[in-house]
Amino acid sequence: MLGRTRGNKGQAMKWIVDAVRRWLLAAVAAVAGIAGADTHRSAEVEAQSNALRRASDAVVGLRALAVEDARSAATLGRARQGSGVVIGVDGLVLTIGYLVLEAEQVMLSTDDGRHIPARVVAYDLATGFGLVQALVPLKLAPVPLGESSASPAATAAGGNPLLVVSGGETGAVSAVRLVSRRAFAGYWEYHIDGALFTAPPRPDHSGAALFNDHGELLGIGSLYVADALGPGQPPRPGNMFVPVDLLKPILGELQQRGSSSASTRAWLGLNCVEHEGELRVLRVAEDGPADAAGVMRGDRLLAVDGTPVAELAQLWQALWADARAEREVALDIERGGQRLTLKLQSVDRAKTLRRAQGI
């Protein structure tokens, strides 16, 4: 990873851009069978270099403060720090949702040292994206959205590298490889398709931007993972990025109503983990539906509404098979060698979130 300060971030991007330019020019020359690229190709390479610089400039730092009674403060804390990337000419910034969950204050910081207040536009449970709007002009060009599904997975031995860029005073740039693309199920009632997994890992992944070598945005950083290669593969640490392909169909909806329609779905208040072929309750949200029904940490989950579950993906998909957000859910568990069926009254998660006064 390169560039731990504002100045060094720019130097790191220049180094990477120059390296990309050398690689591209060499590739063009090899294909053409000549010692150097022609003028047309050189212009293409220069345009690509400029696109990468613009992409880096568009990544901003983001600090958020959650409301004092935020439910999410227990796991995320009230003060949160990460990154976002400008995707709209009007100062619309895309980030990872947990940074702005229940936030009452948001501040953006640019590479040139400006600090700009922003407001939360959307928090989307279904995808995990967050949107914020700068309250004064950012004066930064937005980045184009790429096609994350069109980016081939590349091992360390070949393929074009991708770039991870974080923002703010500790912004950094580094080259990574896309090592796998697959569905991802989170322990916190979360499931998406087409998640992007990169290596080596970045510790400042929250809201960081993943770009291809044309400066197009492919994903937004969410997690550190120990299994970037996927189940059944050797352990390899990396990061999970939420693909922008999930954003495109819902962007207008997020701006209009603050979340996608897919986010209105049943929530139980459970954190679960897969362990040795079993699903176990890791944590129960205080005063949530599972807590009210008597679900306990360590319970083994067997079925949801009669559908057997043994994996996180199965659990969440079975829960959301019924589109109603507020309904009775039958949860079969095993506790102390006994099978029990508990009746839970699910809720719309959005209705449990705290909001700043006046919003």
Side-chain angles (χ1 to χ4, degrees):
M1 183 167 60
L2 302 172
R4 296 304 304 174
T5 67
R6 283 197 301 269
N8 285 341
K9 177 185 170 185
Q11 293 170 12
M13 177 53 72
K14 182 179 184 302
W15 182 89
I16 288 177
V17 166
D18 288 344
V20 170
R21 288 190 69 204
R22 289 193 299 271
W23 182 88
L24 288 169
L25 288 169
V28 170
V31 171
I34 56 178
D38 59 27
T39 303
H40 176 67
R41 291 300 186 184
S42 296
E44 288 183 352
V45 171
E46 186 63 30
Q48 186 172 349
S49 300
N50 291 336
L52 289 173
R53 292 190 183 95
R54 287 195 298 269
S56 176
D57 291 342
V59 180
V60 296
L62 186 151
R63 292 179 182 268
L65 182 68
V67 297
E68 189 170 354
D69 58 347
R71 287 179 175 269
S72 57
T75 53
L76 299 173
R78 283 192 66 201
R80 300 156 196 181
Q81 180 177 350
S83 302
V85 57
V86 181
I87 63 168
V89 293
D90 55 352
L92 188 66
V93 172
L94 178 67
T95 187
I96 197 66
Y98 59 74
L99 291 177
V100 297
L101 176 59
E102 301 182 298
E104 65 176 357
Q105 298 177 27
V106 178
M107 187 69 68
L108 305 175
S109 56
T110 63
D111 285 354
D112 58 8
R114 290 178 292 138
H115 298 280
I116 297 170
R119 65 179 181 88
V120 178
V121 172
Y123 168 68
D124 193 53
L125 285 162
T127 61
F129 286 126
L131 286 175
V132 302
Q133 181 87 49
L135 296 179
V136 298
L138 278 172
K139 301 177 183 178
L140 295 173
V143 299
L145 303 183
E147 297 286 341
S148 54
S149 59
S151 298
T155 66
N160 291 12
L162 304 179
L163 297 181
V164 176
V165 184
S166 60
E169 295 181 355
T170 58
V173 180
S174 66
V176 299
R177 299 288 183 183
L178 178 64
V179 296
S180 67
R181 183 192 299 109
R182 63 185 189 276
F184 173 79
Y187 61 83
W188 62 95
E189 302 189 41
Y190 179 69
H191 182 273
I192 60 170
D193 292 322
L196 307 173
F197 294 84
T198 64
R202 284 278 295 267
D204 55 344
H205 52 75
S206 297
L210 180 67
F211 294 108
N212 63 18
D213 56 3
H214 291 278
E216 297 170 332
L217 182 66
L218 299 182
I220 294 294
S222 177
L223 297 170
Y224 169 91
V225 297
D227 59 345
L229 295 177
Q233 300 297 317
R236 185 175 185 182
N239 295 125
M240 188 276 276
F241 287 79
V242 182
V244 295
D245 288 2
L246 299 181
L247 175 70
K248 296 173 185 178
I250 63 170
L251 180 56
E253 189 178 19
L254 295 185
Q255 292 177 276
Q256 290 175 6
R257 64 188 296 265
S259 66
S260 66
S261 56
S263 292
T264 304
R265 61 192 185 189
W267 179 74
L268 302 181
L270 281 178
N271 287 174
C272 302
V273 63
E274 296 178 23
H275 180 65
E276 297 181 351
E278 298 179 349
L279 273 178
R280 296 280 178 176
V281 176
L282 182 66
R283 179 178 174 272
V284 179
E286 185 177 356
D287 298 327
D291 186 34
V295 180
M296 299 175 62
R297 179 177 179 179
D299 286 345
R300 180 187 175 191
L301 302 182
L302 303 175
V304 175
D305 291 331
T307 301
V309 294
E311 300 175 351
L312 284 173
Q314 294 174 341
L315 172 61
W316 307 138
Q317 289 170 340
L319 175 62
W320 302 325
D322 187 321
R324 293 174 297 166
E326 298 175 334
R327 61 184 177 86
E328 185 177 83
V329 177
L331 191 66
D332 291 352
I333 67 169
E334 181 186 278
R335 181 188 299 163
Q338 294 185 332
R339 184 172 182 134
L340 305 171
T341 298
L342 303 178
K343 301 294 186 179
L344 287 67
Q345 188 61 44
S346 69
V347 300
D348 181 350
R349 171 63 166 154
K351 293 181 179 179
T352 71
L353 302 177
R354 305 289 193 257
R355 290 174 173 80
Q357 292 184 0
I359 299 178

